[in-house]
Amino acid sequence: MKTQQKKDIVKGLTEKMLRAKSIVFSDYLGLKVLQMQQLREKLTLLDAELSISKNTLIKRAVNEAKLENGEKIDPVLQGPTAVLLSYKDEVAALKQLVTFAKENELPKVKGGYLGTTLLTEEEVKNLSTLPSREVLLGKFVGGLSSPLYGLVNALSWEPKRLVWTLHRIAQTKKA
């Protein structure tokens, strides 16, 4: 590869890494071309992409993007490496990758970044077990609204009791 080509690849990877909300490095050795295409199609639907480059170019891109602990990335960048870049939802593409890996036993997650924070293989797998963004937002809103419903019921109890008492009095006077 010519020097200019390498610079262009590093520049493109750096721009993608700066734009990505999460980055995952995985070992794709053993994946068939058809499997790789299927995985890429599924990831495209989640606004993510799977890119394959030389480890030295990936390391340069990590350093140029000024991601945290760029010097500690060397153990992760051993062997063939695919880079998953997720642009919209930090966890959705990662979940898809882990699900695909369970079904096909490949690719193997090596590590990654959430924002600019370096994650180990175990932390990346733990991150993939989180519920989706929509579920988390629903739980958050439910947690916020629950005390409000309790307060409304507590404040409306005495007026309700008064209305029930007046209703009973009216019924007894009719009889």
Side-chain angles (χ1 to χ4, degrees):
M1 222 186 292
K2 294 183 180 176
T3 307
Q4 187 58 42
Q5 273 184 309
K6 291 178 183 178
K7 287 181 182 178
D8 292 342
I9 291 171
V10 170
K11 183 181 177 188
L13 261 175
T14 303
E15 289 171 359
K16 290 176 183 180
M17 286 181 178
L18 289 171
R19 208 175 59 164
K21 292 186 176 185
S22 66
I23 303 168
V24 177
F25 304 106
S26 60
D27 182 353
Y28 66 92
L29 189 64
L31 262 178
K32 294 179 174 68
V33 174
L34 183 62
Q35 291 173 318
M36 187 71 84
Q37 287 174 341
Q38 290 171 346
L39 178 59
R40 282 185 169 151
E41 287 171 6
K42 290 176 182 179
L43 293 173
T44 302
L45 296 174
L46 299 171
D47 198 16
E49 70 177 283
L50 191 66
S51 176
I52 297 173
S53 294
K54 290 184 173 187
N55 289 336
T56 54
L57 301 180
I58 295 170
K59 183 173 169 85
R60 283 185 189 164
V62 165
N63 289 332
E64 284 187 22
K66 293 182 177 51
L67 297 176
E68 184 179 290
N69 295 321
E71 67 280 353
K72 293 183 181 178
I73 198 77
D74 287 337
V76 174
L77 298 178
Q78 298 297 318
T81 304
V83 182
L84 170 64
L85 300 150
S86 182
Y87 301 115
K88 188 175 179 184
D89 187 352
E90 294 89 345
V91 181
L94 173 59
K95 283 181 164 222
Q96 183 64 52
L97 180 72
V98 170
T99 303
F100 187 85
K102 284 180 184 174
E103 293 169 0
N104 298 290
E105 299 178 12
L106 289 169
K108 294 181 178 131
V109 174
K110 297 187 200 178
Y113 283 94
L114 180 61
T116 59
T117 307
L118 182 64
L119 302 173
T120 64
E121 175 186 348
E122 196 60 38
E123 290 171 329
V124 170
K125 287 183 180 178
N126 287 340
L127 190 61
S128 72
T129 62
L130 284 177
S132 69
R133 179 181 173 87
E134 291 77 23
V135 171
L136 288 174
L137 287 174
K139 287 182 178 183
F140 177 70
V141 169
L144 285 178
S145 65
S146 178
L148 295 176
Y149 286 120
L151 179 64
V152 167
N153 284 335
L155 293 176
S156 67
W157 178 248
E158 288 304 318
K160 284 180 186 175
R161 220 167 88 185
L162 176 65
V163 169
W164 290 336
T165 305
L166 291 175
H167 182 70
R168 287 276 190 174
I169 291 171
Q171 283 180 343
T172 54
K173 287 194 176 187
K174 282 184 185 176

